[in-house]
Amino acid sequence: MKIYPCVYILENKYKVVVASADEFICTLIAGGKEIKDSSGGLMRGGDVHSFLVDCYLLEKNGGYTVVCRKAIKRQAYYSKFGKPEEFYFNFSGGKYKGYPEQPFNLFYISDVHNLFEQAEKLADFARNKVDLQAIAFGGDLGEIENNKNAVDFCEFMYEMTKGEIPAIFCRGNHDTRGNY
């Protein structure tokens, strides 16, 4: 199973969004605390899950673990899921203490319009030149009209951040269309 997490800055918390091409259930473990997804503790499946996490929990140990179980058979009662798989991600958000003596390196990109591969190459170039502390997305990244588009978008966000640095996202006029 392959998952695509991205950590977004959301006021004074982080919102961790985890996607996969497979339907799955998952929890997040940060700072020794298990966090349920935004379904309010109900065991729901799907291909995108989100978690609202206090900043200190992610920053405390410099990482987080996502525990996933792939859906084998969904049914009204007693759905079947695979064995738990654990994925650990380093996280460097909040550890930057060098300002103003050292520069804060932020990569900013906008108007990607589904040209994800080109944007990833640009981000790789930036990462090879400097140590990035965050990535900011200025909107119009792509049309999200169905679940596959949503997973593709999450995969792109993962490729940009590797789940290790926080992302700042501002929606553009193309990002606000559709149900997603």
Side-chain angles (χ1 to χ4, degrees):
M1 179 174 192
K2 178 103 173 109
I3 63 170
Y4 311 107
C6 186
V7 181
Y8 297 91
I9 298 171
L10 186 64
E11 295 181 6
N12 62 347
K13 294 192 182 270
Y14 289 125
K15 184 171 190 170
V16 181
V17 177
V18 180
S20 175
D22 300 309
E23 188 175 13
F24 68 108
I25 58 174
C26 70
T27 58
L28 185 137
I29 300 170
K33 181 178 178 183
E34 183 178 11
I35 300 162
K36 303 291 184 191
D37 76 0
S38 61
S39 66
L42 297 174
M43 188 176 81
R44 71 172 186 88
D47 44 19
V48 179
H49 296 269
S50 65
F51 304 86
L52 200 56
V53 183
D54 289 324
C55 292
Y56 75 90
L57 287 176
L58 282 189
E59 296 165 2
K60 180 179 178 182
N61 295 320
Y64 57 98
T65 301
V66 180
V67 181
C68 302
R69 294 177 64 200
K70 184 176 175 180
I72 296 171
K73 184 176 182 184
R74 292 298 307 245
Q75 49 198 29
Y77 297 99
Y78 309 110
S79 293
K80 293 182 176 38
F81 294 92
K83 293 183 179 183
E85 295 181 56
E86 292 189 8
F87 303 88
Y88 180 79
F89 298 90
N90 291 315
F91 185 72
S92 62
K95 295 198 177 220
Y96 182 76
K97 308 288 187 221
Y99 185 79
E101 293 80 24
Q102 299 173 345
F104 181 85
N105 297 312
L106 173 80
F107 179 77
Y108 176 84
I109 190 167
S110 69
D111 295 284
V112 171
H113 294 285
N114 289 329
L115 299 174
F116 296 148
E117 190 174 316
Q118 291 89 332
E120 289 170 20
K121 287 179 183 176
L122 187 60
D124 284 342
F125 175 79
R127 263 193 295 274
N128 289 331
K129 297 291 182 189
V130 296
D131 182 27
L132 294 177
Q133 280 79 42
I135 294 181
F137 300 92
D140 290 354
L141 296 182
E143 303 287 341
I144 299 178
E145 298 171 343
N146 55 46
N147 280 7
K148 182 183 179 332
N149 294 152
V151 171
D152 289 346
F153 175 77
C154 290
E155 182 179 357
F156 165 71
M157 297 296 281
Y158 168 76
E159 290 300 329
M160 297 292 281
T161 67
K162 302 296 185 204
E164 297 177 349
I165 59 173
I168 302 165
F169 180 75
C170 301
R171 290 190 303 185
N173 62 314
H174 292 275
D175 301 318
T176 58
R177 296 180 184 169
N179 297 325
Y180 295 87

